[in-house]
């Protein structure tokens, strides 16, 4: 028998890392469902394709985005917000697949947030070099609900800061199958993603997907 010594995913064991009083990394939580999740992402992107949005300041975001659920996150010259109609297609966002909703609910519950009922899932797609600058997630009307964030594909370095932009950040490596859950007093902490290093994932290719589930409406 040959042990998969070169395959990080195959060696990943479920475990929990504590980032704050109400913020946790659930290592490998989504690993055994990853190919099903990728299939669902493809289904969503076939209806509402990934696109590069513009920030209110006029910059093009490096990660390409789409959404599913009753609401989708958009950014343009008018600001950041959630809308029920995809501006690219003129139609409602694709429904949130049950498999995605169930995974988010299970991850939230195992981090201590019972009855998480997300109404939106933002699907970010990063290529090597893409990044996400330090930000707070505060466009959601329900800031009591946590956020569940699923990483698939090539690894990324997540920056996790404080409630003020000026506070120091720590670096957390997020790999294929990892899930971050945060809420409560950690809900408004600044965070971001460093530019992705060139890499190639055996299942996903030279890409990273990040799914973030929230209660936005
Ligand atoms: C990303 N994530 O991982 C970007 N936001 O690609 C986020 O911006 C994020 O992972 C809120 C909660 C969890 C996250
Ligand atoms: Fe965020």
């Amino acid at each position: 028998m040959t042990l998969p010594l070169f395959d990080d995913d195959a060696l990943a064991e479920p475990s929990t890392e504590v980032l704050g009083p109400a913020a946790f990394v659930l290592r490998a939580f989504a690993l055994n469902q990853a190919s099903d999740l990728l299939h669902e992402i493809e289904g969503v992107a076939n209806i509402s394709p990934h696109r590069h949005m513009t920030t209110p300041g006029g910059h093009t975001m490096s990660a390409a985005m789409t959404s599913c659920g009753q609401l989708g996150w958009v950014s343009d010259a008018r600001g950041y917000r959630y809308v029920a109609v995809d501006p690219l297609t003129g139609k409602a966002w694709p429904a949130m697949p049950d498999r995605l909703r169930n995974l988010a609910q299970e991850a939230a519950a195992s981090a201590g947030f019972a009855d998480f009922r997300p109404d939106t899932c933002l699907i970010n797609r990063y290529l090597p070099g893409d990044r996400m600058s330090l930000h707070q997630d505060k466009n959601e009307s329900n800031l009591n609900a946590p956020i569940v964030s699923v990483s698939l594909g090539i690894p990324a370095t997540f920056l996790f800061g404080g409630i003020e932009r000026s506070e120091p950040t720590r670096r957390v490596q997020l790999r294929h199958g990892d899930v971050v859950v945060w809420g409560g007093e950690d809900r408004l902490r600044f965070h971001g993603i460093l530019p992705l290093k060139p890499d190639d994932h055996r299942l996903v290719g030279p890409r990273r997907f990040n799914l973030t589930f929230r209660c936005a409406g």
Side-chain angles (χ1 to χ4, degrees), residues 82-111:
Y82 286 93
V83 295
V85 170
D86 177 353
L88 191 64
T89 65
K91 298 188 177 129
W93 297 98
M96 190 185 302
D98 286 343
R99 186 185 293 279
L100 296 191
R101 176 183 289 99
N102 291 342
L103 169 69
Q105 215 157 25
E106 284 161 20
S110 76

Side-chain angles (χ1 to χ4, degrees), residues 147-175:
I147 299 177
V148 172
S149 157
V150 179
S151 293
L152 295 169
I154 66 176
T157 303
F158 187 58
L159 296 176
F160 193 62
I163 300 293
E164 304 288 341
R165 185 181 285 277
S166 59
E167 289 178 62
T169 57
R170 63 179 277 191
R171 294 175 176 213
V172 181
Q173 213 48 39
L174 294 181
R175 288 177 290 262

Side-chain angles (χ1 to χ4, degrees), residues 10-210:
L11 297 173
E13 290 282 341
S15 63
T16 300
E17 283 172 33
V18 178
L19 296 182
F24 308 92
V25 186
L26 310 179
R27 294 288 180 198
F29 191 89
L31 189 56
N32 61 9
Q33 297 185 50
S35 56
D36 293 324
L37 301 176
L38 290 162
H39 185 77
E40 302 288 14
I41 291 171
E42 206 180 317
V44 168
N46 283 339
I47 302 171
S48 278
H50 282 91
R51 80 294 304 261
H52 293 277
M53 301 203 206
T54 307
T55 65
H59 296 281
T60 301
M61 301 185 77
S62 68
M65 301 179 177
T66 186
S67 286
C68 61
Q70 287 147 263
L71 294 170
W73 186 86
V74 298
S75 175
D76 59 20
R78 289 160 50 204
Y80 308 120
R81 63 202 178 279
Y82 286 93
V83 295
V85 170
D86 177 353
L88 191 64
T89 65
K91 298 188 177 129
W93 297 98
M96 190 185 302
D98 286 343
R99 186 185 293 279
L100 296 191
R101 176 183 289 99
N102 291 342
L103 169 69
Q105 215 157 25
E106 284 161 20
S110 76
F113 299 97
D115 301 318
F116 178 51
R117 304 241 183 277
D119 56 12
T120 180
C121 172
L122 171 66
I123 306 175
N124 295 159
R125 186 192 67 202
Y126 297 77
L127 305 181
D130 291 349
R131 59 193 288 276
M132 176 87 62
S133 55
L134 214 58
H135 66 278
Q136 286 173 301
D137 289 18
K138 54 180 184 187
N139 300 123
E140 299 74 32
S141 60
N142 182 355
L143 293 177
N144 293 315
I147 299 177
V148 172
S149 157
V150 179
S151 293
L152 295 169
I154 66 176
T157 303
F158 187 58
L159 296 176
F160 193 62
I163 300 293
E164 304 288 341
R165 185 181 285 277
S166 59
E167 289 178 62
T169 57
R170 63 179 277 191
R171 294 175 176 213
V172 181
Q173 213 48 39
L174 294 181
R175 288 177 290 262
H176 182 70
D178 289 345
V179 178
V180 182
V181 182
W182 62 7
E185 62 194 273
D186 293 315
R187 180 64 178 71
L188 290 176
R189 286 172 72 162
F190 276 89
H191 58 279
I193 293 283
L194 289 182
L196 265 67
K197 296 197 179 100
D199 205 340
D200 195 355
H201 189 274
R202 71 188 156 75
L203 208 59
V204 188
R207 284 188 290 274
R208 170 177 186 261
F209 289 105
N210 176 259

